[in-house]
Amino acid sequence: MSAASLVALLTMTATTTSAQDAPPAEDDVVVVTGFRGSLQSAISTKRNESGIVDVIKAEDIADFPDLNLAESLQRVPGVAITRANGEGRQISVRGLGSEYTRVRINGMEAIATTGGTVNSGGTNRTRGFDFNMFASELFNSLSVRKSASADVEEGSLGATVDLQTARPFDFKGGQLVVSAQASYNDLARDVTPRFTMLASQRWADGKLGALASVAYEKRHIKEEGANITRWTYGGANGGFNAASTLPNYTIAQINDTNTATALYHPRIPSYVSYDIESERLGLTGSFQMRPTEQTLITIDALYSDVKTTRDEAQFQAIGLSRAGSGKPQTIIRDGVVEGRNLIYAELDNVDVRTQSAWDELETEFSQVSLSVRHDFTDRLRGTLLLGTAVSKFSNPVSTIVTFDRANTQDFSYDFRSRMPLIDWGFDVKDPAAWTMNTGTSEVRIRPNAVTNRFDSAQMGAEYTVNDGLKIKAGIDYRKFALDSEGYYRTSETVVNTLSPADLANVSTQYTGFGRGLDGPDGVVTGWLRPDLQKFADLYDIYCNCGIYALTGTGNSSARGQFITVDEADLGVYVMAEFRTSLFGKPIRGDAGLRHVQTEQHSGGYAAVGSTIKWVEAERTYDMTLPSANLAMDVSDDVLLRVSAAQTIARPSISSLTPGGDVAIQGANRGFSSGNPFIEPTKSNNVDLSLEWYPTRSSIYAVGFFYKEINTFVQTLRQDIPFNQLGLPDSLLVGTTATPNDIFAVSQPINSPGGELKGMELNIQRDLDFLPGWASHFGVLFNYTFVDSNIEYLTSTTPGAPTINETLVGLSKNAANFTLYYETEKFSVRGSVAYREGYLTAVPSNDGNSVAGTNATTNYDISASYNLTPKFKLSIEGINLTDEFNDQYVDASNRLHVRTHTGRQFFLSGRYSF
């Protein structure tokens, strides 16, 4: 969009004729109750916006429609969620992942980061927001702003999501609400509690108010299944033993190193179980004061603390990915090839491993903000917002202990069913079958922490020129800081050598594996595993002494954990809001310009010649971003919207480090580096929406959107021998890696970008036109189609081939459907959410063309009954079909991860005093 077009649009507003609505007084706020009421309120808010905005409202005081904020957001057209540990963690909007979505809490940008299993994204060191950080009862509204306006800070390509906590002036008088809930997971087979309370009061003729709320819960879930850690080609890691035989294939074909023609096999076929217990405490506080009719002062505070323990048991055939004494000694005796995939194999001399991991994780989030609104005159208003937010993630205990067994005979795997069958070939519960020796087994102790801090200041003014024109201008400043650290042992393969009796004393039997996996008969249900508590007590592994001493920047493997990034964004904007008529039709909208300057300073450890040193990088850039939104009342109940804007999204915070990280874990070899000079992603956007509001509680809408993305921040993945990376061999001292080992190398780069386009269909309808009892039904349905064509690089070498694929994280098709029935006393609703599969990496490692996640369909149901006007009982079921997390590598859909978390059921009571 050109500046000239913006000036023309502003000039047009000089002839405005329609009256502007006055802002409602807080005493006019109507407390909306019930699911139907929340939909009516959300539709009313959406209809009055100039841009493309979707809203979700609380059903009642401290009573959000869903237990998780991400689960609620997926009801918004264009929004899809990713889950971790059985609940929504992050969102994507119109195919753009969490990195491209900004989240504001009470008007202030924030980042909330948590930890997770490797299969669910691991520890968040990005700009993405983890919605599982907060209980939904702490909030009373969510809004998803898909179109840009100049007065909203830049930083998102997908959407800006606003989370709003409750405030005392939201209510006319005093409020006290309490609820208690019991939760049951059918895989963990445990009942856990949940408790919420909200209290609010107003004094001094309503001019003072205070509110406090608390939400506390415990959760216990299990996640079980298969974890393959990709597939690799036969010639990788030195290839199979020359004695290997496979019908119709020569040994040269078995050990082919050409990834375009080679046979592929599972890299580390494994069974895995995570036992996860979490405790979440959330607190909000709000104080509001109206010293005069012209002034409103609000202080908001939000605190959340999530503590989690994760107990992992994993049983794996590690030798198939291990060079030296591993794979080169393994002999293929027989097998079945499908396409180029060795989906069934009988093998001898296979190294296997049983490992236990224990993690203690905690995230503390706190935010305090002050907002002031003052009307200097009837025409001039000023606003001020000051605040700070801190998210502290710590993983003080992160420990893995392994037992190993070399050269196992009669081993086989079978991937002819989606859940693989692994025959280990020996008594997996016998302590005498296992060993623990230096050089083979491992004890990993890796405490780590990440701290994010946001400081924000905003000041704005708005001047009403006449009934049809308002001018807004303002300045905002945001400062973001990230600090990351981690500590490792000097050598994780130096361990206590155990005799069979010693090993038996520090081991335990893992049992009960495989319930609900829907796998073939014969899947092992238990195995011997290290008992971490006994092992730690006997060998004092947390003493930080002797062979278990931890080092930080002096440790070649740990240095990459130390990252600092500081970013300061200064923005100024000017815009006009207008109301007028065109061809006799009322129109309203806004148009404006935002100019922003960004300063970034980052530090990390990188190779300087033959040594590793702390290096720092700085950069500054600025840009001007125009935006405009227009809404026309085509008729009394039909609305046409058009929006156009330029938007940007800055690169992931952790990717801005100039340093690198050498990661060696078991048979996995990796090197990741940052790029402090990576360019932000910029997009030109156009939105068109047609909306029909036949009743106050109904909407039929269709929207089209187009984004021209100038560059895409791609994570370039390559497989490169360590001795070709230009790094000193000293980085491998104390590890099992050699300079000749192939490392999975990744670095963020700017790719050429491409187009993204799609459409959204949104239907919300009360079926009150039906006769009798059927008039209490209602339906919600939304469908989103998104497509993109992104050019991915395979190398930074000029002229290297490229790959055209859809955007990482983009599901072409997604849909949600809810059928509800509600009377004054009784409410029930059932929901289904579908998300088509999406890519997670292009290209993937080990010659796999892509990596991705397969489609999911989730079914939920809830019901409530008002025993009295003040007391309500509710029951809810989540993930009723126990949907699997099914991840793959390569276009041939090679299994990477397949796990499930069971069904979740809730029974609750809620009382309003």
Side-chain angles (χ1 to χ4, degrees):
M1 179 186 298
S2 68
S5 62
L6 284 170
V7 172
L9 189 55
L10 285 169
T11 302
M12 183 182 66
T13 66
T15 61
T16 55
T17 59
S18 300
Q20 183 178 10
D21 293 340
E26 73 278 357
D27 287 338
D28 295 331
V29 174
V30 178
V31 177
V32 180
T33 61
F35 187 65
R36 179 179 276 107
S38 72
L39 296 178
Q40 287 183 5
S41 178
I43 287 176
S44 176
T45 302
K46 174 181 176 65
R47 185 172 184 174
N48 291 326
E49 290 282 349
S50 297
I52 313 290
V53 181
D54 290 285
V55 181
I56 299 174
K57 297 281 190 176
E59 294 185 33
D60 205 339
I61 302 166
D63 187 16
F64 217 72
D66 300 276
L67 296 171
N68 178 278
L69 295 174
E71 306 286 346
S72 288
L73 284 167
Q74 72 176 341
R75 294 207 310 270
V76 171
V79 175
I81 70 172
T82 55
R83 291 176 171 85
N85 309 144
E87 65 175 345
R89 181 180 183 182
Q90 295 184 337
I91 68 169
S92 67
V93 181
R94 293 176 166 179
L96 294 162
S98 60
E99 282 285 279
Y100 300 98
T101 298
R102 291 175 57 251
V103 176
R104 303 191 300 185
I105 301 177
N106 296 329
M108 178 185 156
E109 186 170 357
I111 293 180
T113 55
T114 62
T117 65
V118 173
N119 300 336
S120 60
T123 299
N124 182 4
R125 287 182 169 87
T126 72
R127 296 182 192 267
F129 190 93
D130 290 339
F131 287 88
N132 55 348
M133 184 69 206
F134 303 102
S136 63
E137 292 90 345
L138 300 177
F139 300 87
N140 68 357
S141 72
L142 310 178
S143 65
V144 181
R145 187 177 300 274
K146 301 174 187 174
S147 61
S149 60
D151 60 338
V152 177
E153 308 96 312
E154 79 296 331
S156 66
L157 263 60
T160 294
V161 178
D162 279 300
L163 313 181
Q164 182 64 57
T165 59
R167 291 168 171 169
F169 284 8
D170 294 340
F171 315 112
K172 289 185 177 181
Q175 303 287 341
L176 178 59
V177 179
V178 296
S179 69
Q181 185 179 80
S183 171
Y184 176 77
N185 180 277
D186 71 343
L187 187 58
R189 295 181 175 179
D190 193 12
V191 177
T192 54
R194 183 182 180 112
F195 170 81
T196 62
M197 182 181 71
L198 180 144
S200 178
Q201 187 56 272
R202 297 176 68 169
W203 305 275
D205 297 326
K207 295 180 179 179
L208 295 177
L211 178 146
S213 68
V214 58
Y216 173 81
E217 73 166 324
K218 286 187 175 181
R219 296 184 76 240
H220 181 198
I221 71 160
K222 278 193 171 182
E223 181 178 356
E224 289 190 340
N227 182 16
I228 312 305
T229 319
R230 305 186 305 275
W231 289 51
T232 193
Y233 50 95
N237 305 111
F240 288 100
N241 189 278
S244 296
T245 58
L246 191 61
N248 302 317
Y249 290 90
T250 66
I251 188 63
Q253 291 174 311
I254 292 173
N255 287 332
D256 189 355
T257 59
N258 184 343
T259 58
T261 58
L263 296 179
Y264 271 72
H265 64 86
R267 189 168 168 270
I268 310 179
S270 310
Y271 294 142
V272 65
S273 173
Y274 304 100
D275 193 297
I276 302 166
E277 296 190 49
S278 62
E279 185 177 18
R280 180 164 58 192
L281 172 66
L283 303 169
T284 73
S286 182
F287 173 79
Q288 287 187 291
M289 177 174 61
R290 187 180 290 279
T292 70
E293 289 298 321
Q294 292 76 34
T295 305
L296 176 63
I297 300 172
T298 303
I299 299 174
D300 292 309
L302 172 63
Y303 174 82
S304 184
D305 183 24
V306 180
K307 297 177 181 177
T308 303
T309 61
R310 184 172 65 233
D311 182 17
E312 173 191 335
Q314 189 159 185
F315 194 12
Q316 56 187 211
I318 193 171
L320 299 186
S321 66
R322 179 186 282 168
S325 61
K327 185 176 176 180
Q329 294 185 4
T330 299
I331 302 173
I332 302 175
R333 298 299 188 187
D334 196 8
V336 174
V337 175
E338 185 178 276
R340 292 195 297 118
N341 301 322
L342 184 59
I343 59 173
Y344 170 79
E346 299 174 7
L347 308 104
D348 286 333
N349 299 340
V350 177
D351 296 346
V352 298
R353 166 174 286 183
T354 175
Q355 73 176 37
S356 292
W358 176 260
D359 282 273
E360 297 176 9
L361 311 100
E362 181 177 12
T363 298
E364 281 189 281
F365 177 92
S366 59
Q367 176 181 293
V368 178
S369 62
L370 166 68
S371 63
V372 180
R373 188 184 72 197
H374 180 72
D375 294 328
F376 293 97
T377 69
D378 292 342
R379 292 177 176 269
L380 179 63
R381 169 178 290 180
T383 59
L384 175 70
L385 176 63
L386 302 173
T388 184
V390 179
S391 178
K392 294 181 178 180
F393 169 79
S394 62
N395 190 181
V397 180
S398 181
T399 304
I400 295 177
V401 174
T402 75
F403 296 158
D404 290 84
R405 174 184 173 88
N407 294 330
T408 297
Q409 309 301 306
D410 301 318
F411 175 92
S412 69
Y413 67 76
D414 190 347
F415 281 76
R416 286 175 289 192
S417 60
R418 193 59 179 172
M419 181 64 194
L421 174 62
I422 304 174
D423 187 338
W424 302 93
F426 68 102
D427 183 358
V428 299
K429 297 182 178 181
D430 183 7
W434 298 96
T435 64
M436 187 174 191
N437 297 307
T438 289
T440 302
S441 299
E442 297 181 67
V443 176
R444 304 177 204 150
I445 305 172
R446 299 181 175 182
N448 62 94
V450 181
T451 299
N452 294 300
R453 182 184 180 95
F454 241 118
D455 296 315
S456 182
Q458 303 174 26
M459 185 165 55
E462 53 186 67
Y463 180 74
T464 302
V465 179
N466 54 46
D467 289 341
L469 178 62
K470 180 187 294 183
I471 303 297
K472 288 185 174 182
I475 183 171
D476 48 75
Y477 176 79
R478 291 168 291 155
K479 185 176 182 181
F480 177 77
L482 174 142
D483 287 285
S484 174
E485 63 180 17
Y487 299 86
Y488 290 11
R489 296 177 58 211
T490 301
S491 178
E492 295 178 332
T493 58
V494 176
V495 301
N496 299 89
T497 298
L498 305 186
S499 67
D502 293 335
L503 191 144
N505 288 333
V506 292
S507 62
T508 187
Q509 297 291 337
Y510 173 69
T511 59
F513 180 80
R515 286 188 294 110
L517 278 181
D518 193 27
D521 294 336
V523 172
V524 65
T525 60
W527 57 84
L528 188 86
R529 58 175 291 198
D531 187 318
L532 284 184
Q533 189 60 56
K534 291 180 180 178
F535 191 90
D537 291 343
L538 185 60
Y539 298 108
D540 198 17
I541 64 174
Y542 298 123
C543 68
N544 195 18
C545 61
I547 64 172
Y548 295 112
L550 298 178
T551 54
T553 58
N555 186 321
S556 59
S557 296
R559 286 193 195 105
Q561 301 296 308
F562 289 81
I563 298 171
T564 64
V565 178
D566 293 294
E567 179 181 279
D569 304 312
L570 178 64
V572 294
Y573 69 89
V574 60
M575 65 179 288
E577 291 183 347
F578 56 88
R579 287 176 178 269
T580 185
S581 62
L582 183 65
F583 305 120
K585 303 295 184 182
I587 64 171
R588 65 183 184 274
D590 60 73
L593 292 170
R594 165 173 282 271
H595 183 81
V596 61
Q597 182 182 73
T598 298
E599 296 181 357
Q600 293 172 341
H601 183 282
S602 57
Y605 284 90
V608 181
S610 60
T611 61
I612 301 296
K613 294 182 178 180
W614 178 263
V615 295
E616 297 182 352
E618 293 183 357
R619 70 172 305 194
T620 300
Y621 58 87
D622 65 297
M623 55 186 64
T624 300
L625 306 170
S627 62
N629 297 281
L630 183 67
M632 172 184 286
D633 291 311
V634 180
S635 67
D636 290 342
D637 54 9
V638 176
L639 190 64
L640 175 67
R641 301 183 195 271
V642 180
S643 298
Q646 287 185 346
T647 57
I648 66 163
R650 297 180 177 88
S652 171
I653 288 293
S654 60
S655 69
L656 295 174
T657 175
D661 181 20
V662 175
I664 299 167
Q665 183 166 308
N668 298 316
R669 308 282 188 265
F671 175 70
S672 59
S673 61
N675 185 349
F677 301 106
I678 198 165
E679 295 292 334
T681 299
K682 190 174 182 180
S683 176
N684 296 320
N685 315 286
V686 177
D687 291 85
L688 176 66
S689 177
L690 184 63
E691 302 161 9
W692 177 37
Y693 298 88
T695 70
R696 290 180 57 193
S697 57
S698 302
I699 179 176
Y700 296 82
V702 60
F704 302 90
F705 53 90
Y706 172 84
K707 298 178 184 292
E708 183 185 47
I709 302 173
N710 73 325
T711 182
F712 169 61
V713 180
Q714 173 194 344
T715 300
L716 178 63
R717 293 174 171 85
Q718 298 174 279
D719 296 321
I720 303 174
F722 183 85
N723 55 20
Q724 295 181 21
L725 295 177
L727 299 173
D729 291 350
S730 59
L731 294 178
L732 305 182
V733 173
T735 74
T736 57
T738 70
N740 294 320
D741 284 356
I742 302 294
F743 275 62
V745 179
S746 63
Q747 183 185 28
I749 60 171
N750 285 111
S751 69
E755 296 181 343
L756 184 148
K757 53 193 173 184
M759 63 87 65
E760 297 170 346
L761 180 65
N762 183 21
I763 299 174
Q764 296 184 29
R765 176 70 190 186
D766 268 350
L767 303 183
D768 49 8
F769 56 86
L770 296 176
W773 62 272
S775 64
H776 296 290
F777 277 105
V779 294
L780 285 74
F781 171 75
N782 70 68
Y783 165 75
T784 304
F785 171 79
V786 191
D787 196 11
S788 66
N789 185 23
I790 303 296
E791 187 177 358
Y792 292 87
L793 303 180
T794 60
S795 171
T796 56
T797 302
T802 60
I803 300 172
N804 287 317
E805 272 289 0
T806 58
L807 186 66
V808 169
L810 181 149
S811 296
K812 282 192 174 183
N813 295 281
N816 290 269
F817 176 78
T818 297
L819 175 67
Y820 66 90
Y821 180 88
E822 187 172 64
T823 67
E824 184 177 346
K825 284 195 169 185
F826 177 69
S827 175
V828 62
R829 66 178 179 267
S831 300
V832 56
Y834 170 78
R835 182 180 185 183
E836 193 175 51
Y838 55 92
L839 300 178
T840 56
V842 181
S844 186
N845 297 117
D846 303 294
N848 292 286
S849 59
V850 296
T853 298
N854 281 312
T856 57
T857 304
N858 289 82
Y859 295 87
D860 305 326
I861 191 169
S862 64
S864 65
Y865 185 78
N866 296 320
L867 293 175
T868 73
K870 293 181 176 294
F871 183 56
K872 180 171 73 174
L873 284 177
S874 301
I875 187 170
E876 185 168 1
I878 304 295
N879 191 25
L880 296 178
T881 57
D882 191 13
E883 188 75 355
F884 276 70
N885 170 29
D886 191 301
Q887 302 175 27
Y888 65 93
V889 291
D890 200 68
S892 61
N893 199 29
R894 298 162 179 155
L895 182 65
H896 173 44
V897 172
R898 182 173 172 81
T899 61
H900 70 134
T901 55
R903 303 165 184 85
Q904 197 83 19
F905 300 95
F906 304 88
L907 177 64
S908 64
R910 180 178 180 276
Y911 191 84
S912 301
F913 291 88

